[in-house]
Amino acid sequence: MPTPVSNARACLAAEAAAALDDAVAVARRRAHVQTTSLHVVYALLHSSSAAAPAGGSGGGAGTSSAASCPILRDALSRARSSVYSPRLQFKALDLCFGVALDRLPSSSSGQRQTGEVGGDEPPVSNSLMAAIKRSQANQRRNPETFHLYQQQQQSAAAGGASSFPGVKVELQQLVLAILDDPVVSRVFGDAGFRSTDIKFAILRPPPPILRFPRATRCPPLFLCNFSAGDGFEAALTPLRPVLPFSPAAGHLCSDGGDENCRRIGDILARKEGGRNPMLVGVGAGEAARDFHLAVERQNWTILPPELRGIELLSIEKAAVELKPGSVDLSSVDARLEEMGRKGEAPGVVLNIGDLKDMVDGNAECDERERCLVSELTRLLEVYHGRLWVMGWSATYETYMKFLSRHPLLDKDWNLQLLPITSVRSGKGGSLTRPPSLMKSFVPLGGFFPTAYESKDPLLSVHPSSRCQHCDEKYEEEVSIILKGRSASVDQRDARLPFWLHQSNKVDLNDGSNAAKAEDDKTILNAKIMELQTKWNQNCQRLHNSCQRITDNFSGIPCALDPSCVLGVERACNKGSENPDETQNQRGFGTSLTMSVGTQKISMASQSISLPSVMEPRNKDLLSKLQVKFSKSEQLQKEGFQSYQGDDHASPSSVTSVTTDLVLGSLPESLSKEESPASKVKEGPLKEHFSCLPSADTVKTNVSGVPVSSFAYSGCHDSWAKSIYPSIPTQLSNGRTSTSDKPLLISSSIGKKFGLSNYKSFCKSLIDKVGRQEDAAIAVSQAIFHCRAGERRRGANWRGDIWLSFNGPDKIGKRKVAAALAELIYGSRQDNFICIDLSYQDGVARPNTICDQQEVSENDVQSRGKLNTDLIAAELRKKPHSVVFLDNVDKADPLVQNSLSQAIHTGRFPDSHGREFSINNAIFILSSGRTQGQNFSQKIDCNSFCEETILAAQSWQMKIFLEPSQEHISSSSKSNKVSCASSQELRYNQVYLQTDFSRKRKLDVYDDCNSHCETLISPKRARTVSKEFLDLNLPVEEIEANDHDSSSHGEYSKSQNSDPWIKEFFDLVDATINFRPFDFDALAKNLLKDISHIFCRAFGSESLLEIDQKVMEEILAVAWSLEDRGALDNWFEQVLGRSIIKAKHWSNLSSHHNVLRLVACEDASVDKYAPGVLLPLEIIIN
Amino acid sequence: MGGNSNNNNISSAVGSGNSNAKLLQVLNVRVVGSGDRVLVLSHGFGTDQSAWNRVLPFFQRDYRVVLYDLVCAGSVNPDHFDFRRYTTLDAYVDDLLAILDALDVDRCFFVGHSVSAMIGILAAIRRPQLFLKLILIGASPRFLNDGDYHGGFERGEIELVFAAMEANYEAWVQGFAPLAVGADVPAAVREFSRTLFNMRPDISLFVSRTVFNSDLRGVLGLVRAPCVVVQTAKDVSVPVSVATYLKDHLGGRTTIDLLPIEGHLPHLSAPSVLAQALRRCLTCHHR
């Protein structure tokens, strides 16, 4: 039901109504039945095109109401794509709308004649009315933009809104709503516009300056185009900063001084609570001075109205010089009384200045200070409401010290702490840095300091803000120096700081002198600095007010620099608002931007190189946190810690230099620090050697090495025999041939899982895994149970199976899962998803052998992705698969959520809420925790524990050749190859933290098998000490750290996921426990092989000593490899050859030799041997 | 600069606090999640609240999470940025406290990144009861070197950066974003570039000047709330020494949490690592 035009018009503000009228006119002319959104847009385009010559000339809308603004046209010109020329695109738009309008049904002439009386106007269509309603609602909801809009369009529209109760729709809102109309946006789309772009362009009007009628094109969006944000008024008022950015730069230099004053004022104006401000912060002194200045200049606008007319007395000087405080205070007293009588001013603020001055005084001063404080307390009580106290302190410590000297003073005085954090830019340096340093960045663009410093001279004009006595003397001396150079020396003026005066003279009267001044500047500066330091010392000794003097001084070198004189002068005269100065700044600005290019580059390179230097130590710090992963980077870590120690001891050495210097000095200090540390390390090492002969006697724990109670089957081929008894039905060997083929069971078919299939399945699973027979059987059982429909969970039948693998042998678990994938779905590539949940975002995974062997392909894709999404993505790719999630106990809450939902609903949601069916998937959740049986003690007793093997990285290996030493005779009974076992490592761990020297004696050497005699490896001892002994840190600290991190880890684990994981594991179809892997047996096996090779090459006289690290590497490889072939190859090809090479090397001394195979922990492997993550070559040394 | 602050545009209304509802709207305040504890996530320079999007899901279950935009963010109408008001960080603190008051939050955990960490510190000084714990990501009390203090930047360098920003903002963004993100995560770089470029260049420059002119070192001791300094292993803006400085000087019980990741924007480049760290920090406050 169309709406009469008059009704629609009533909803619109003047402009919009005019637009509607235009639209109605268009509709009437075209004899259309209704006025639609298209008409409005068409009318808008044409009314504006009358103004803008670029537009098409068609139609001749004629009405061209004056009120309609080119809002749409303007937006279009900004929203259009840059591919086409504007002319073309607008032409296309015109055509599109023309065609669209032509398609609309036109009313028959008869209808028109019989129309109602007012019906000359085609009524407003429903869609347009809806748009109007929408915009109305929108506007009502958002009164702010309404007002904003009104403010900007200060035209006739302003009056309209208030007189009518309903909301009058503004043109902008109307246009926005119409753009939502699908018909309209389709037409725009035809013409190559996107209505969202147009809307955006309307919502974000161009910067105000562009709204001037002249600005037809939009310049590039750079800073200089923007005003300081004040909108029209700012741009129109010539006195305010007019030109957009550069004055804003002057503005930007505004350091929050006003803001600070306002805050101080707010506190002073408080009725209750702390009403006496105590400024704390590096910029507090400045803030206090700013406030002082504001009061002095009677700049009331930044203070609350009730404080207007306040007075500020500074007793800073009195406090500093510690004259009897009562003198000053009595004057305050008198002044207050007088004021009380007249009742004119709101009161007096007493500035006690820097607390440091009060705190640092000696005993005699204390007395006076106490006097002053108590007097003040009394006055505050008497003149409550009219007397304020304010003070400041650069650091919190000073304030606390002050409070500790006067306990409860903060209550007595009603002090309110006010943190001051903004620091004036140029000033930040001058407060703490000598002027020479400040000058160092003057060349960077001389104008910066001038701009920043412009206030300093002003500040120092004020007598109260400095120690006058010293200042005067200092000035005298400086002026004497100056007198020597410049002809006319005026004595200091009472008001103006003398150097300004001075430089005026130089500048105006004697130009040549100015040039000379520049020449002599360095000498002069040196002299002045000398003076400055002298007087600083004097002043500090006498009056504790060096701070203020430095402030004054910092201006001096600047003022003498002729280029700066102008700036200072002007600043003095007019302050920073001066337009001239801003122009001046702009001039500099342009010159700077030219040079920026190169400077920027150097900047970038600098900032890049800085992190790269810091990288190693950072990494080490991290590794400290990662308890598990700590072993491999001890060397670097130590380096870092020693550096840290250095940092603590003398931070200034590192930090006082500039960044460049830091870059240079960092590595230096590192290496320097390292050398003593390594020397110390050497010490115990030698001792170790010397006590080696006695090692035999220490061998006590031989039988103490408990071999895992499970029969070790390792990588032998003979494992199969051992499992037959445990399989319910004896399997005939003949069947294995069939079971080797993948069973290819589609998940929906359950009947294939018959008993006979079960047997073969079980057999082939065990076949593939090679160990963990019990677990494999359990897995097979569980799967067959599930497939047979004996579901533990849920009444509705689902295809997904959930298993949880508990216990150690990470690799074994993964192997079982992979074998399952192969057996059930056909392929371990396409049907196996393996994600370790302990890693997040694909963040730098440790470079361990065990990990590298497995995960590599999806590393890049997973970077920056959440684990949930990773799993979901994989599931989408491979719906028929085994999903093996390692370390479920470390799953993040998102994954936990998703898993919970998946197990309940059968659909796995990702972080965006999309869900993926898991009907054909087998989820295997693996965690290191064990349920029921506890294997942990057994793990503990092994020489090699799973953690260390998991952490093993592939390092470059080296063979050291050593001529025989006497200790060989003691231990060279029969054996050739020895390996330092990790038993002593554990003992060391225990003892090291308490007492290093004791530990050395308590080293327990064990001998894990009868063939291979174990010889303590000195290398090992060293690595142990590297790991735990940090000479640069006190013992307690290490312990504390250790404790911290461990408890930390435990805590987070138990807090985060414990309840969840328990709950979740109750839901799974079956829980399978895994046994620990017997690394000792594997090691024994490997050693036997190595010894075989070694014997062949060297004969029985020599010894090969294998470092623990190397052994771990080899073990890790052997553990994670599918079959031993590659490793055996490596033994033959690489190790064997290297040993032979070493033999040639050592031919000169053919008698007893000791070869040591060690890992170089600073070099990772360049080239890997084929098939194994072990080095292709071993360095022989 | 005379301080005629009686301007009648909206931005002054924002500060006056009489219309908290409006403030909530202007700064796009969002409250999500269903926990009983309140967690405030405050974004840093060059981002907006969308930066927390990937971290947010980790907390929705257990926390009522308050998100808002700093007034300088690109997602806030630039008209609200009053160049006279936001000259110091205190104005931002006002905003934060006003938001929390408007939401009737009486105690909360605060997570602040870079600038917001500074803001959080100041807010905790002003209203010690309000903050149960501060978690400061990539925080620095002072970015400039100063004597013994190594903040990581020299004044001269910074002026160069400002000049570069002024000269060609877009080019600067292109260069700065990958540097800040640090880690090789293209998505994060893209996201940060987007939000950074959303900021109006003059505002961006003004805010960075404000930040670099701020010095919180003197007031760190006033913080009473326990703090956790979350620091990534490699951060172009904040050297690790700053973290130790914070630990040494913050008044509350402070711990450092070093993350094994790189970059100034861990919530973009490694959200789940950060989320885990945050959860750890948040839950262990009983100890």
Side-chain angles (χ1 to χ4, degrees):
Chain A
M1 191 59 201
T3 320
V5 174
S6 54
N7 289 9
R9 202 184 288 131
C11 302
L12 302 174
E15 261 184 303
L20 182 67
D21 286 342
D22 287 353
V24 170
V26 170
R28 189 174 26 191
R29 207 178 52 248
R30 294 194 170 230
H32 286 152
V33 183
Q34 296 180 341
T35 310
T36 63
S37 307
L38 287 175
H39 291 102
V40 178
V41 176
Y42 188 74
L44 279 174
L45 284 174
H46 280 269
S47 65
S48 57
S49 72
S57 58
T63 50
S64 84
S65 65
S68 102
C69 83
I71 180 168
L72 183 61
R73 177 68 69 163
D74 180 48
L76 285 173
S77 67
R78 280 183 292 135
R80 65 179 191 82
S81 80
S82 53
V83 182
Y84 312 104
S85 79
R87 223 195 154 78
L88 262 178
Q89 212 170 0
F90 283 126
K91 193 86 190 163
L93 190 66
D94 267 345
L95 277 173
C96 286
F97 270 98
V99 169
L101 285 179
D102 287 344
R103 283 199 194 126
L104 290 176
S106 56
S107 61
S108 69
S109 56
Q111 251 181 332
R112 256 188 87 189
Q113 275 156 10
T114 55
E116 323 92 75
V117 186
D120 222 16
E121 300 176 325
V124 175
S125 76
N126 280 344
S127 66
L128 178 56
M129 206 50 215
I132 293 174
K133 287 263 157 62
R134 266 204 312 274
S135 53
Q136 214 170 4
N138 214 8
Q139 201 159 312
R140 198 182 298 124
R141 216 179 303 130
N142 197 1
E144 198 171 85
T145 49
F146 176 58
H147 280 297
L148 182 71
Y149 182 67
Q150 259 194 339
Q151 209 174 9
Q152 284 174 352
Q153 312 271 330
Q154 281 172 356
S155 55
S162 51
S163 54
F164 288 91
V167 180
K168 293 280 198 176
V169 176
E170 291 291 336
L171 184 60
Q172 188 195 25
Q173 292 289 341
L174 181 66
V175 171
L176 285 177
I178 284 175
L179 285 172
D180 280 336
D181 197 328
V183 182
V184 174
S185 58
R186 198 179 312 135
V187 178
F188 270 120
D190 289 343
F193 287 94
R194 276 187 301 177
S195 51
T196 49
D197 286 348
I198 304 170
K199 257 165 53 179
F200 188 72
I202 292 174
L203 277 177
R204 286 243 167 137
I209 195 164
L210 298 174
R211 260 178 260 152
F212 289 123
R214 285 295 152 91
T216 47
R217 278 191 61 102
C218 192
L221 204 70
F222 289 151
L223 282 177
C224 50
N225 301 329
F226 286 101
S227 84
D230 282 3
F232 251 123
E233 294 90 340
L236 290 174
T237 325
L239 290 177
R240 305 264 302 277
V242 182
L243 279 167
F245 190 73
S246 303
H251 199 156
L252 294 176
C253 303
S254 86
D255 34 44
D258 286 354
E259 176 73 11
N260 286 334
C261 291
R262 199 179 57 71
R263 280 177 184 281
I264 297 172
D266 283 349
I267 288 178
L268 292 175
R270 275 192 200 174
K271 288 284 172 281
E272 73 276 333
R275 53 198 299 274
N276 295 315
M278 178 60 64
L279 318 183
V280 178
V282 176
E286 282 166 23
R289 274 194 295 278
D290 282 350
F291 182 71
H292 206 137
L293 212 63
V295 173
E296 197 78 10
R297 287 168 165 181
Q298 315 216 318
N299 185 1
W300 304 126
T301 44
I302 54 170
L303 298 181
E306 59 264 38
L307 291 179
R308 185 175 290 267
I310 202 169
E311 284 182 32
L312 196 139
L313 284 180
S314 182
I315 58 166
E316 217 168 342
K317 217 183 350 168
V320 167
E321 290 173 10
L322 292 161
K323 286 168 187 155
S326 52
V327 179
D328 277 277
L329 289 179
S330 64
S331 72
V332 174
D333 209 348
R335 178 82 187 108
L336 274 169
E337 234 161 75
E338 184 193 330
M339 274 165 59
R341 273 199 304 278
K342 289 184 187 167
E344 45 176 17
V348 171
V349 178
L350 213 54
N351 183 10
I352 59 170
D354 191 355
L355 295 182
K356 196 159 189 277
D357 302 337
M358 304 185 83
V359 171
D360 288 350
N362 51 22
E364 175 216 12
C365 305
D366 278 358
E367 187 57 38
R368 302 228 173 98
E369 185 191 320
R370 228 180 300 278
C371 217
L372 180 86
V373 167
S374 62
E375 184 71 5
L376 259 178
T377 314
R378 190 186 63 80
L379 280 177
L380 276 173
E381 257 169 47
V382 173
Y383 297 104
H384 181 74
R386 286 195 293 132
L387 178 65
W388 289 272
V389 173
M390 66 177 279
W392 61 271
S393 154
T395 65
Y396 170 70
E397 283 76 12
T398 315
Y399 171 69
M400 287 317 281
K401 214 160 152 193
F402 181 68
L403 272 194
S404 68
R405 287 160 76 113
H406 308 281
L408 288 181
L409 198 66
D410 51 339
K411 294 279 175 305
D412 290 348
W413 282 13
N414 267 334
L415 286 182
Q416 172 65 45
L417 275 183
L418 179 63
I420 301 287
T421 54
S422 62
V423 183
R424 194 157 301 136
S425 332
K427 216 47 186 312
S430 68
L431 263 178
T432 43
R433 235 176 276 172
S436 64
L437 243 179
M438 259 199 41
K439 271 178 57 202
S440 73
F441 56 73
V442 165
L444 282 169
F447 61 94
F448 280 120
T450 34
Y452 295 131
E453 218 121 37
S454 57
K455 269 196 175 168
D456 295 358
L458 285 177
L459 287 176
S460 50
V461 173
H462 203 270
S464 70
S465 60
R466 63 178 141 165
C467 164
Q468 215 165 15
H469 191 57
C470 291
D471 201 21
E472 272 169 18
K473 281 187 179 164
Y474 163 73
E475 283 176 11
E476 238 162 43
E477 290 207 38
V478 173
S479 63
I480 288 167
I481 294 176
L482 289 172
K483 212 182 289 182
R485 291 172 58 256
S486 74
S488 61
V489 172
D490 209 337
Q491 276 310 307
R492 57 189 177 279
D493 192 291
R495 305 266 165 67
L496 263 181
F498 84 101
W499 59 82
L500 276 181
H501 214 78
Q502 186 67 42
S503 49
N504 271 342
K505 281 273 194 276
V506 171
D507 191 33
L508 300 173
N509 303 343
D510 209 334
S512 60
N513 253 351
K516 210 174 107 193
E518 199 174 13
D519 292 341
D520 294 345
K521 206 172 61 191
T522 44
I523 307 170
L524 190 73
N525 281 347
K527 277 182 184 167
I528 288 177
M529 265 176 63
E530 207 178 278
L531 271 182
Q532 185 184 1
T533 42
K534 175 182 156 194
W535 280 106
N536 275 354
Q537 282 167 357
N538 273 351
C539 192
Q540 191 155 30
R541 199 158 5 97
L542 295 169
H543 314 303
N544 293 345
S545 94
C546 57
Q547 194 104 346
R548 242 139 275 124
I549 286 208
T550 21
D551 282 2
N552 292 338
F553 276 35
S554 63
I556 291 182
C558 230
L560 285 171
D561 186 341
S563 72
C564 295
V565 169
L566 277 171
V568 178
E569 237 176 46
R570 196 176 302 114
C572 204
N573 296 337
K574 299 167 193 165
S576 56
E577 283 178 27
N578 193 319
D580 282 353
E581 188 185 88
T582 53
Q583 269 175 4
N584 195 8
Q585 277 185 6
R586 279 185 84 202
F588 276 115
T590 48
S591 71
L592 184 85
T593 42
M594 278 161 53
S595 63
V596 162
T598 52
Q599 280 166 330
K600 203 165 62 184
I601 291 167
S602 66
M603 247 300 288
S605 68
Q606 200 178 45
S607 45
I608 289 168
S609 60
L610 175 67
S612 69
V613 167
M614 284 159 53
E615 186 175 43
R617 63 190 177 104
N618 290 346
K619 209 165 63 196
D620 304 339
L621 236 188
L622 292 172
S623 68
K624 196 166 74 180
L625 288 181
Q626 294 180 327
V627 190
K628 265 190 174 175
F629 180 48
S630 62
K631 206 154 298 169
S632 45
E633 286 191 340
Q634 295 133 359
L635 185 76
Q636 293 168 343
K637 190 202 299 177
E638 178 129 318
F640 167 65
Q641 278 165 346
S642 63
Y643 165 71
Q644 200 183 33
D646 178 50
D647 198 22
H648 278 304
S650 59
S652 61
S653 67
V654 181
T655 49
S656 60
V657 281
T658 59
T659 322
D660 307 60
L661 292 183
V662 172
L663 290 183
S665 68
L666 242 171
E668 250 175 51
S669 71
L670 240 169
S671 57
K672 236 185 285 166
E673 275 300 312
E674 208 158 28
S675 56
S678 57
K679 256 180 229 153
V680 178
K681 266 180 269 159
E682 226 83 273
L685 206 80
K686 281 187 188 125
E687 278 184 66
H688 245 113
F689 255 113
S690 58
C691 71
L692 259 177
S694 67
D696 286 14
T697 58
V698 190
K699 274 187 281 168
T700 52
N701 210 7
V702 180
S703 60
V705 187
V707 178
S708 137
S709 60
F710 294 93
Y712 168 71
S713 48
C715 301
H716 302 292
D717 302 337
S718 59
W719 56 268
K721 282 159 207 146
S722 64
I723 50 116
Y724 279 116
S726 56
I727 289 189
T729 324
Q730 193 83 13
L731 288 169
S732 73
N733 276 336
R735 300 198 75 144
T736 47
S737 58
T738 55
S739 61
D740 274 343
K741 280 182 252 160
L743 291 181
L744 280 176
I745 300 166
S746 101
S747 57
S748 52
I749 307 164
K751 61 180 184 204
K752 270 199 179 178
F753 291 86
L755 187 65
S756 59
N757 279 328
Y758 162 70
K759 287 172 194 160
S760 62
F761 184 84
C762 197
K763 169 82 169 70
S764 45
L765 185 62
I766 293 167
D767 241 339
K768 290 207 178 305
V769 179
R771 56 174 182 264
Q772 301 286 7
E773 302 78 27
D774 294 350
I777 291 161
V779 168
S780 323
Q781 270 172 355
I783 285 178
F784 274 77
H785 272 288
C786 290
R787 289 295 190 229
E790 298 172 35
R791 306 298 304 272
R792 274 174 54 196
R793 165 175 48 89
N796 50 338
W797 190 86
R798 289 212 324 253
D800 51 322
I801 297 175
W802 294 75
L803 304 174
S804 75
F805 286 6
N806 291 333
D809 196 0
K810 200 174 145 93
I811 301 281
K813 287 187 283 188
R814 196 152 58 194
K815 272 186 177 166
V816 170
L820 270 183
E822 201 175 336
L823 286 175
I824 295 177
Y825 296 111
S827 150
R828 64 171 57 198
Q829 267 83 45
D830 303 334
N831 303 100
F832 184 51
I833 301 171
C834 173
I835 289 168
D836 190 338
L837 295 179
S838 64
Y839 297 126
Q840 307 286 351
D841 306 319
V843 161
R845 288 152 195 263
N847 216 8
T848 62
I849 291 175
C850 297
D851 271 315
Q852 275 185 337
Q853 208 88 33
E854 291 294 323
V855 199
S856 55
E857 77 274 12
N858 57 4
D859 203 30
V860 183
Q861 300 154 2
S862 69
R863 208 182 285 155
K865 264 193 188 169
L866 298 174
N867 275 334
T868 326
D869 296 340
L870 210 60
I871 299 170
E874 291 282 309
L875 267 175
R876 198 182 54 184
K877 260 190 282 177
K878 325 171 184 171
H880 293 265
S881 57
V882 170
V883 183
F884 179 71
L885 303 177
D886 211 349
N887 292 318
V888 198
D889 44 342
K890 300 202 178 92
D892 58 55
L894 277 186
V895 175
Q896 289 179 9
N897 265 344
S898 295
L899 285 178
S900 300
Q901 197 172 328
I903 202 171
H904 285 296
T905 66
R907 304 186 70 78
F908 187 91
D910 70 1
S911 71
H912 307 291
R914 290 174 296 191
E915 291 186 341
F916 300 92
S917 169
I918 54 164
N919 203 27
N920 296 316
I922 296 177
F923 270 80
I924 296 175
L925 311 164
S926 151
S927 78
R929 301 144 37 95
T930 47
Q931 284 185 340
Q933 290 163 285
N934 199 349
F935 294 99
S936 58
Q937 312 104 317
K938 282 162 205 151
I939 305 169
D940 269 352
C941 298
N942 281 340
S943 336
F944 294 98
C945 64
E946 194 170 325
E947 274 90 54
T948 54
I949 304 293
L950 278 175
Q953 300 191 27
S954 51
W955 299 114
Q956 184 61 48
M957 293 181 190
K958 231 181 208 179
I959 292 182
F960 279 107
L961 216 61
E962 288 192 356
S964 68
Q965 289 169 11
E966 70 261 63
H967 74 266
I968 292 170
S969 56
S970 70
S971 57
S972 67
K973 273 184 268 171
S974 65
N975 212 297
K976 327 294 169 278
V977 182
S978 61
C979 169
S981 107
S982 70
Q983 189 66 31
E984 100 274 358
L985 168 75
R986 200 157 291 104
Y987 282 87
N988 287 345
Q989 280 176 352
V990 174
Y991 289 106
L992 238 161
Q993 288 169 9
T994 52
D995 187 351
F996 182 61
S997 61
R998 233 176 82 210
K999 167 239 141 209
R1000 256 183 270 126
K1001 299 209 177 79
L1002 281 166
D1003 273 339
V1004 180
Y1005 312 123
D1006 80 341
D1007 177 346
C1008 57
N1009 57 63
S1010 49
H1011 299 295
C1012 301
E1013 187 173 356
T1014 307
L1015 172 75
I1016 174 70
S1017 152
K1019 277 276 180 269
R1020 185 66 211 136
R1022 196 168 102 189
T1023 46
V1024 168
S1025 68
K1026 260 190 273 175
E1027 183 179 3
F1028 290 103
L1029 182 76
D1030 183 356
L1031 299 170
N1032 294 301
L1033 285 176
V1035 174
E1036 294 81 12
E1037 200 167 313
I1038 304 170
E1039 270 178 333
N1041 280 349
D1042 247 25
H1043 172 74
D1044 238 20
S1045 53
S1046 65
S1047 59
H1048 203 72
E1050 264 169 44
Y1051 182 81
S1052 64
K1053 210 166 145 192
S1054 58
Q1055 264 292 310
N1056 252 347
S1057 52
D1058 227 11
W1060 176 80
I1061 203 99
K1062 271 203 190 108
E1063 211 174 285
F1064 194 76
F1065 276 6
D1066 285 344
L1067 291 173
V1068 298
D1069 295 311
T1071 300
I1072 291 114
N1073 287 323
F1074 278 68
R1075 290 188 207 127
F1077 185 80
D1078 192 345
F1079 288 106
D1080 289 352
L1082 180 59
K1084 176 172 134 189
N1085 215 301
L1086 290 172
L1087 281 179
K1088 214 184 337 184
D1089 289 355
I1090 296 173
S1091 123
H1092 195 67
I1093 293 168
F1094 184 71
C1095 274
R1096 256 193 329 211
F1098 254 84
S1100 56
E1101 294 301 290
S1102 300
L1103 273 175
L1104 175 66
E1105 189 183 293
I1106 298 175
D1107 181 28
Q1108 173 99 8
K1109 275 270 175 258
V1110 174
M1111 202 60 218
E1112 279 168 11
E1113 270 184 60
I1114 297 173
L1115 275 175
V1117 168
W1119 185 34
S1120 52
L1121 270 183
E1122 285 300 310
D1123 62 327
R1124 276 280 300 273
L1127 186 62
D1128 287 335
N1129 266 345
W1130 185 81
F1131 279 153
E1132 287 292 332
Q1133 302 293 321
V1134 181
L1135 190 61
R1137 252 192 301 142
S1138 305
I1139 289 172
I1140 291 169
K1141 222 188 275 179
K1143 193 187 174 189
H1144 291 311
W1145 210 269
S1146 65
N1147 253 352
L1148 2 153
S1149 54
S1150 55
H1151 52 287
H1152 302 300
N1153 276 317
V1154 176
L1155 262 66
R1156 274 202 267 131
L1157 181 61
V1158 299
C1160 318
E1161 286 179 47
D1162 41 0
S1164 39
V1165 181
D1166 299 330
K1167 269 191 190 161
Y1168 291 110
V1172 285
L1173 284 171
L1174 291 170
L1176 184 60
E1177 276 186 69
I1178 297 176
I1179 301 168
I1180 298 168
N1181 205 340
Chain B
M1 248 187 299
N4 48 345
S5 56
N6 50 353
N7 56 334
N8 54 357
N9 66 11
I10 310 128
S11 40
S12 66
V14 172
S16 66
N18 56 4
S19 53
N20 278 333
K22 191 190 282 177
L23 179 74
L24 295 189
Q25 198 188 357
V26 165
L27 297 182
N28 307 320
V29 177
R30 271 198 310 150
V31 182
V32 291
S34 53
D36 48 348
R37 290 173 294 180
V38 179
L39 173 68
V40 181
L41 298 179
S42 186
H43 69 85
F45 175 78
T47 53
D48 53 43
Q49 58 176 283
S50 68
W52 299 111
N53 278 357
R54 320 252 320 267
V55 180
L56 193 59
F58 291 85
F59 300 98
Q60 278 175 331
R61 194 184 62 193
D62 302 334
Y63 294 90
R64 205 152 67 92
V65 185
V66 177
L67 292 151
Y68 76 106
D69 287 335
L70 296 181
V71 73
C72 60
S75 46
V76 174
N77 185 345
D79 293 331
H80 297 303
F81 191 87
D82 184 348
F83 283 82
R84 278 155 298 194
R85 195 165 104 77
Y86 293 97
T87 49
T88 68
L89 292 180
D90 296 299
Y92 297 88
V93 178
D94 290 339
D95 285 350
L96 170 63
L97 294 177
I99 287 170
L100 294 180
D101 288 343
L103 295 175
D104 280 333
V105 173
D106 57 347
R107 44 191 46 218
C108 65
F109 297 95
F110 180 88
V111 177
H113 171 243
S114 92
V115 187
S116 280
M118 294 169 121
I119 294 170
I121 288 174
L122 291 174
I125 292 173
R126 252 202 268 165
R127 298 271 293 278
Q129 266 71 48
L130 190 54
F131 295 95
L132 288 167
K133 185 165 211 168
L134 299 180
I135 297 170
L136 313 171
I137 305 169
S140 174
R142 172 74 164 161
F143 285 101
L144 297 182
N145 297 340
D146 181 12
D148 291 348
Y149 176 77
H150 180 67
F153 294 91
E154 284 297 326
R155 164 64 65 185
E157 295 171 8
I158 281 309
E159 290 302 343
L160 287 178
V161 172
F162 289 160
M165 284 171 82
E166 203 171 332
N168 187 343
Y169 187 68
E170 189 176 3
W172 176 78
V173 167
Q174 302 293 329
F176 178 69
L179 208 62
V181 171
D184 182 16
V185 186
V189 174
R190 231 176 298 128
E191 180 65 10
F192 183 55
S193 308
R194 181 183 72 79
T195 50
L196 192 59
F197 195 62
N198 265 355
M199 291 177 78
R200 220 173 68 185
D202 54 339
I203 293 180
S204 177
L205 184 57
F206 189 87
V207 173
S208 34
R209 275 194 198 277
T210 309
V211 171
F212 279 100
N213 284 348
S214 299
D215 190 340
L216 267 61
R217 285 173 297 157
V219 301
L220 292 179
L222 298 171
V223 178
R224 284 282 151 263
C227 300
V228 182
V229 180
V230 176
Q231 172 85 22
T232 60
K234 191 173 125 188
D235 189 332
V236 277
S237 311
V238 185
V240 179
S241 64
V242 169
T244 49
Y245 183 91
L246 278 172
K247 180 176 160 57
D248 293 344
H249 289 81
L250 275 169
R253 201 182 53 229
T254 306
T255 50
I256 298 180
D257 200 334
L258 262 177
L259 300 183
I261 47 179
E262 293 178 358
H264 187 54
L265 299 135
H267 43 329
L268 288 179
S269 57
S272 39
V273 173
L274 181 73
Q276 307 270 297
L278 291 182
R279 282 192 76 89
R280 204 163 57 222
C281 304
L282 287 170
T283 44
C284 66
H285 75 283
H286 307 291
R287 285 194 302 145

